[in-house]
Amino acid sequence: MPARPFPPLTPGQTTLLVDKSQSWGLAHGLVMYPPGFVLSLATVAPLTLFPTPFPKQAFEQALAVQQTFNRLYTLVASSKGWIESISKDLSAFDPDFTGKLYTAYEQALAAGIVQPLLMGLFRLDYMVHSATNQIKQIEFNTVSVLFGGLSSKVADLHRFLNALGAYTADGSEYYPRESLPTSASLKELGAGLVDGDEAYRQQQKLPSTTATCIVMVTQPGERNVFDQRHVEYAVGEAVAGAERPFLPVHRTTLQLVLSDTLIDARQRLVWTATGQEVSVVYYRSGYSPDDYPEAGCWEARLRLEALLAIKCPLLLTQLAGAKKIQQILTTREEVRRFLPAEDDASVDGLLLTFVAIYPLDDSPRGAEAKRLALTEPHRFVLKPQREGGGNNVYKENIPGFLKQLPEREWAGYILMELISPPEFNNVIVRGEDVHRDPIISELGVFGTTVFNEQSGEVLTNRTGGWLLRSKFSSSDEGGVAAGFGCVDSVYLYE
Ligand code: ADP
Ligand code: MG
């Protein structure tokens, strides 16, 4: 069935729908703190009133390839020599961040990294390319992935509004129920963290009565707290009823983590206030230079790196999420090098999600990319080795940007073909503002894994639900927390 248009509601019906969505959001924790917040007052996260049409086949394909991608990236992250040499090269171009991450890794290595278990809570971001309706990869995130919590909530909200009949004048359901899937992301991220804890408990042969805990390292003044709290509560729910102690998630920051914890003689990390052994250090910060305003933050990162607690992620896993690595992995030969035993269909499935990404270096492909960047910039986005939004250079701005840099520094960037997603006139509700404007959407698929890099054993590998984020098509970037996007869900059509 082709996509149905958005429900034709009168302004009065739309006002009622806004009222219902805001109440549901507050009642179910689809919320964030506003700027300058106090603890007791949250606001509904920016959201769309309707689910956004998304081709079913593209959606299913994105979910289908996730476990292969999890495998690929754990293997990349544990290919030490390879990733070390690339990170070292990138450090020269980005000494302020990639360089510091890599130095912290080298220092931790010198101190002796004692934990061979590697953990990933990943999110792969895609857009649908409208000319072909194919799913195309934007980026692979290996650190601090957001919105696993709120994503499940907003999909539930849209399903609720549909079931309620709020999308029609006569109270009937507008969308076929099966076209509005739930997102397991919240539950799955919780389960992924519990997988890490269980792996640690088994490895350390902890008696079933011994309590462990997870430490979540967040940004000071974080406003997207509830997305994180939902994951914390999902961890609790995943272990409730099991023959084991409760699994608390303690919150701290890079500034405070070393004073909140003790390190014992066996390199175990202990949460001081409760005396519980820390099984997993889960970073919801640490992905941008702003997260390390003091030398103490780097000190904390590298101290934790060497300890027994499992890090989600390790520094090398974080570095594996570099845009440069994504560029290198767009060829069949490179994918095959990491996945020699994978069947052809799976490898083809990965490759189908790639658009062209070029290096801007001295190679023949680099020379071609330099020509394209200067002569056909409208087809491309230029990306540095940074995360978290606001760093990319788009289209016609590329030539001017490159020309003000010495050419030898261009190799620190990648040139990526632009994906052109379809536009839809959904309604975005942000606080008291209600806008009906063309939006474009980005699908995120979560994945979780625990891997032993010494033995090569994959302990767990899960597809972890999905997220749809939308933004006005007039804005190039879509960070929800940064204030120019919103959470959304999919309406699947064939
Ligand atoms: P970051 O690490 O800052 O999140 P991304 O690679 O995700 O960087 O890019 C940020 C945003 O830019 C994306 O969310 C998307 O909206 C847009 N974008 C990035 N790459 C492309 C592309 N190839 N085509 C279209 N839009 C893109
Ligand atoms: Mg991104």
Side-chain angles (χ1 to χ4, degrees):
M1 255 194 303
R4 300 192 70 178
F6 286 98
L9 298 181
T10 63
Q13 288 164 336
T14 304
T15 304
L16 273 177
L17 194 58
V18 171
D19 180 333
K20 291 186 166 87
S21 68
Q22 299 297 292
S23 290
W24 192 99
L26 286 172
H28 292 80
L30 176 43
V31 292
M32 288 177 161
Y33 278 130
F37 63 89
V38 293
L39 284 182
S40 58
L41 290 177
T43 55
V44 177
L47 50 79
T48 59
L49 218 40
F50 307 104
T52 293
F54 203 95
K56 185 169 186 226
Q57 206 193 351
F59 179 80
E60 286 174 350
Q61 201 206 341
L63 289 169
V65 294
Q66 184 62 36
Q67 281 171 306
T68 316
F69 269 122
N70 290 345
R71 210 155 38 240
L72 175 65
Y73 268 79
T74 46
L75 292 166
V76 167
S78 53
S79 298
K80 293 229 164 83
W82 188 75
I83 201 144
E84 284 165 3
S85 86
I86 292 172
S87 303
K88 219 181 284 176
D89 289 351
L90 290 178
S91 298
F93 298 114
D94 180 26
D96 291 340
F97 194 55
T98 308
K100 286 184 175 166
L101 287 173
Y102 189 70
T103 304
Y105 163 72
E106 280 187 317
Q107 289 172 340
L109 200 62
I113 296 178
V114 295
Q115 178 56 267
L117 293 178
L118 171 161
M119 216 181 132
L121 258 54
F122 300 140
R123 199 190 69 220
L124 239 167
D125 292 335
Y126 302 93
M127 279 180 179
V128 169
H129 188 58
S130 56
T132 57
N133 255 5
Q134 271 182 337
I135 195 87
K136 292 293 176 189
Q137 191 185 110
I138 300 269
E139 66 160 341
F140 196 107
N141 299 286
T142 57
V143 59
S144 184
V145 300
L146 313 185
F147 295 123
L150 297 189
S151 164
S152 291
K153 299 287 173 187
V154 69
D156 288 350
L157 165 66
H158 288 153
R159 287 168 60 83
F160 167 73
L161 292 172
N162 187 52
L164 184 67
Y167 289 143
T168 58
D170 65 1
S172 61
E173 292 185 30
Y174 187 77
Y175 299 101
R177 276 186 198 184
E178 64 282 3
S179 69
L180 304 184
T182 54
S183 171
S185 54
L186 170 52
K187 215 170 139 227
E188 288 293 337
L189 290 189
L193 287 168
V194 174
D195 286 342
D197 175 76
E198 296 279 357
Y200 181 91
R201 295 177 68 89
Q202 273 191 15
Q203 178 196 50
Q204 297 302 309
K205 303 192 172 57
L206 297 184
S208 64
T209 50
T210 299
T212 45
C213 67
I214 292 174
V215 166
M216 190 191 291
V217 183
T218 68
Q219 294 174 330
E222 171 69 77
R223 289 168 46 215
N224 190 22
V225 169
F226 301 96
D227 184 51
Q228 302 174 344
R229 287 286 187 197
H230 285 308
V231 174
E232 171 189 337
Y233 306 148
V235 166
E237 277 169 31
V239 298
E243 291 284 311
R244 53 157 296 163
F246 189 73
L247 181 54
V249 179
H250 300 300
R251 294 170 69 84
T252 182
T253 58
L254 275 172
Q255 283 82 349
L256 293 175
V257 62
L258 290 182
S259 53
D260 283 338
T261 53
L262 297 169
I263 300 167
D264 78 5
R266 285 186 42 219
Q267 298 297 301
R268 289 180 304 196
L269 188 68
V270 174
W271 187 252
T272 315
T274 59
Q276 292 156 332
E277 186 165 346
V278 179
S279 54
V280 175
V281 177
Y282 171 38
Y283 290 101
R284 287 294 295 258
S285 69
Y287 54 84
S288 114
D290 300 343
D291 291 338
Y292 303 84
E294 305 135 32
C297 297
W298 285 111
E299 173 71 15
R301 186 79 200 259
L302 87 90
R303 289 285 295 282
L304 295 172
E305 188 77 1
L307 301 179
L308 203 53
I310 300 174
K311 265 70 59 185
C312 182
L314 281 166
L315 283 161
L316 279 194
T317 306
Q318 179 168 344
L319 286 163
K323 309 274 192 299
K324 181 70 191 175
I325 299 220
Q326 184 192 4
Q327 174 250 306
I328 294 171
L329 291 175
T330 48
T331 68
R332 183 179 295 274
E333 303 72 65
E334 288 296 337
V335 171
R336 268 278 170 236
R337 228 159 50 76
F338 290 99
L339 297 173
E342 199 74 27
D343 58 81
D344 285 340
S346 301
V347 171
D348 290 346
L350 300 194
L351 292 168
L352 270 177
T353 69
F354 298 151
V355 294
I357 310 182
Y358 299 86
L360 284 167
D361 57 14
D362 296 335
S363 66
R365 217 171 130 71
E368 167 71 357
K370 288 176 188 177
R371 190 187 64 74
L372 288 170
L374 299 177
T375 58
E376 301 177 32
H378 59 279
R379 291 178 44 215
F380 297 99
V381 48
L382 182 75
K383 299 187 184 184
Q385 309 303 319
R386 288 285 168 89
E387 298 299 320
N391 304 301
N392 298 341
V393 182
Y394 294 87
K395 302 182 195 176
E396 276 68 26
N397 293 330
I398 296 174
F401 179 86
L402 284 176
K403 282 178 191 156
Q404 48 91 38
L405 287 178
E407 194 170 329
R408 66 190 138 71
E409 287 181 22
W410 296 9
Y413 294 78
I414 59 161
L415 187 72
M416 182 176 194
E417 234 170 29
L418 278 170
I419 304 161
S420 52
E423 293 185 4
F424 292 99
N425 282 309
N426 205 332
V427 177
I428 291 187
V429 185
R430 171 194 297 285
E432 299 305 306
D433 298 332
V434 180
H435 305 272
R436 183 181 279 273
D437 275 309
I439 58 153
I440 54 175
S441 304
E442 189 166 336
L443 180 76
V445 180
F446 296 91
T448 70
T449 185
V450 181
F451 178 75
N452 187 321
E453 54 180 21
Q454 247 159 37
S455 67
E457 187 193 356
V458 180
L459 283 79
T460 58
N461 179 357
R462 306 171 188 257
T463 301
W466 52 271
L467 153 78
L468 197 73
R469 265 182 312 169
S470 296
K471 61 179 178 180
F472 297 125
S473 59
S474 51
S475 87
D476 278 322
E477 299 242 350
V480 178
F484 35 93
C486 67
V487 290
D488 193 350
S489 80
V490 295
Y491 152 45
L492 299 178
Y493 70 95
E494 289 178 63

CSV table of all heavy atoms in Angstrom, one decimal, residues 34 46 60 91 235 284:
chain,number,residue,atom,x,y,z
A,34,PRO,N,14.4,21.6,30.6
A,34,PRO,CA,14.6,22.8,29.8
A,34,PRO,C,15.9,23.5,30.2
A,34,PRO,O,16.5,23.1,31.2
A,34,PRO,CB,13.4,23.7,30.2
A,34,PRO,CG,13.1,23.3,31.6
A,34,PRO,CD,13.4,21.8,31.7
A,46,PRO,N,10.7,17.7,22.3
A,46,PRO,CA,10.2,18.1,21.0
A,46,PRO,C,9.8,16.8,20.2
A,46,PRO,O,10.6,15.9,20.2
A,46,PRO,CB,11.4,18.8,20.3
A,46,PRO,CG,12.3,19.2,21.4
A,46,PRO,CD,12.1,18.2,22.5
A,60,GLU,N,13.1,-2.6,7.2
A,60,GLU,CA,13.5,-4.0,7.6
A,60,GLU,C,14.9,-4.3,7.2
A,60,GLU,O,15.6,-5.0,7.9
A,60,GLU,CB,12.5,-4.9,6.9
A,60,GLU,CG,11.1,-4.9,7.6
A,60,GLU,CD,10.1,-5.7,6.9
A,60,GLU,OE1,10.2,-6.2,5.8
A,60,GLU,OE2,9.0,-5.9,7.6
A,91,SER,N,45.4,11.6,14.5
A,91,SER,CA,45.8,12.5,15.6
A,91,SER,C,46.6,13.7,15.1
A,91,SER,O,46.4,14.8,15.7
A,91,SER,CB,46.7,11.7,16.6
A,91,SER,OG,46.0,10.7,17.1
A,235,VAL,N,17.3,-1.4,33.1
A,235,VAL,CA,18.3,-2.3,33.6
A,235,VAL,C,17.7,-3.0,34.9
A,235,VAL,O,17.8,-4.2,35.0
A,235,VAL,CB,19.6,-1.5,34.0
A,235,VAL,CG1,20.5,-2.4,34.9
A,235,VAL,CG2,20.4,-1.1,32.7
A,284,ARG,N,28.0,8.2,28.8
A,284,ARG,CA,27.1,9.1,28.1
A,284,ARG,C,27.7,10.5,28.0
A,284,ARG,O,27.0,11.5,28.1
A,284,ARG,CB,25.7,9.1,28.9
A,284,ARG,CG,24.9,7.8,28.7
A,284,ARG,CD,24.5,7.5,27.3
A,284,ARG,NE,23.5,8.4,26.8
A,284,ARG,CZ,22.2,8.2,26.7
A,284,ARG,NH1,21.7,7.1,27.1
A,284,ARG,NH2,21.4,9.1,26.2
